[in-house]
Amino acid sequence: MMDAWDEVRTAYHVARLGTVSGAADYLSVHHATVIRHIDALEGRLGVRLFHRHARGYTPTEAGQDLLATAAETEARFSQLASRIAGQGDTLSGELVLTALGFVAQLLMPALAELQNDHPDLRIRLVTDERVFRMELGEAHIAIRAGSAPSEPDNVVQPFFTLRARLCATKSYLEQHGPFSLETAAQHRFVATTQADSRAPFLRWLKDHVPEDAIVFRASDFASAIEAVHAGIGIGFAPAFALEQNADLVEVMPSLDEWNSSVWLVTHVDLHRSPKVQRVLAYLKDNAKNIVGTV
């Protein structure tokens, strides 16, 4: 089917957008070309791929099967293009960087300086809790927190140590009283929805706080930090958050076991490319400033 890829790709975008005109605009071709591609593909396969109606085109069952494969193929091509783009010898073009939301906040001054020094570099920062698949080219560089990533073919380097603090707002403590491990069941806590989190401080919270005392859960740590800021309950936040919010105070002395390592992750295929190497060096140089705040 590779000799019919143009036709398959056209059909995929008709299914995705629902109309011939929408696919034509997206592909920058005439609508007659779109119709010709679909007719040729159906003739080649001997099946109907679409139901035609006044509102547009709807995939048949056979069309849905073909188009699911087309969507995956197009995604792979896009990821391959991203990986190839990362092999350039200058700091230009797009660089995809992934990080947890609260870590991304720390990176902003360094990324601003990086783009100021290299104005032809376009950074796409993706903040998400999921682990991006570097082997598929989903990102050039990933910044992850917790235990060291162990996926095969990834190059993992230490970045900095994130120091967590168990804290609450002054107004929360005025309303609910001081905290101690003995009184934990009497307090209200904030956590995340991730039962298998790699963050050591969240594992500590799971081990030391009754489940029914956790009254607020967020799908990501950045939102959990905001919930603590809002006075919903006691929870963990990075040390730098206490400097940014005068109403936020520690409820007990910090423990070393709460500290979390932050890692720079690249795929072996891109690790030695000049662009990725220069950005990694830049981030590591700026880690000295980050460490001073966390």
Side-chain angles (χ1 to χ4, degrees), residues 73-136:
T73 302
E74 172 136 305
R76 292 292 183 99
F77 275 134
S78 296
Q79 291 157 1
L80 176 62
S82 178
R83 289 170 62 176
I84 291 172
Q87 296 175 2
D89 58 0
T90 62
L91 279 184
S92 62
E94 184 177 70
L95 183 110
V96 182
L97 179 68
T98 74
L100 296 173
F102 73 96
V103 173
Q105 178 183 351
L106 291 171
L107 302 177
M108 289 306 175
L111 295 180
E113 186 178 340
L114 174 63
Q115 286 200 295
N116 185 59
D117 292 343
H118 303 281
D120 292 332
L121 180 66
R122 299 190 306 275
I123 295 175
R124 181 154 60 94
L125 176 63
V126 184
T127 56
D128 202 310
E129 297 291 311
R130 76 177 180 90
V131 175
F132 284 77
R133 298 183 64 183
M134 310 298 285
E135 73 276 12
L136 294 182

Side-chain angles (χ1 to χ4, degrees), residues 160-240:
F160 61 85
T161 298
L162 185 75
R163 307 189 190 285
R165 300 289 185 264
L166 189 62
C167 53
T169 59
K170 295 174 184 176
S171 56
Y172 170 88
L173 295 174
E174 289 171 0
Q175 180 179 356
H176 297 279
F179 168 82
S180 68
L181 289 177
E182 291 73 21
T183 63
Q186 303 168 24
H187 280 276
R188 301 167 67 82
F189 288 85
V190 172
T192 69
T193 58
Q194 298 171 302
D196 59 346
S197 173
R198 297 185 301 177
F201 50 88
L202 291 178
R203 293 198 298 265
W204 182 92
L205 192 70
K206 182 179 179 181
D207 292 340
H208 291 83
V209 170
E211 177 67 23
D212 58 5
I214 300 176
V215 300
F216 186 98
R217 290 185 180 273
S219 61
D220 60 273
F221 187 46
S223 297
I225 295 170
E226 290 303 315
V228 176
H229 284 182
I232 291 176
I234 298 172
F236 280 101
F240 69 85

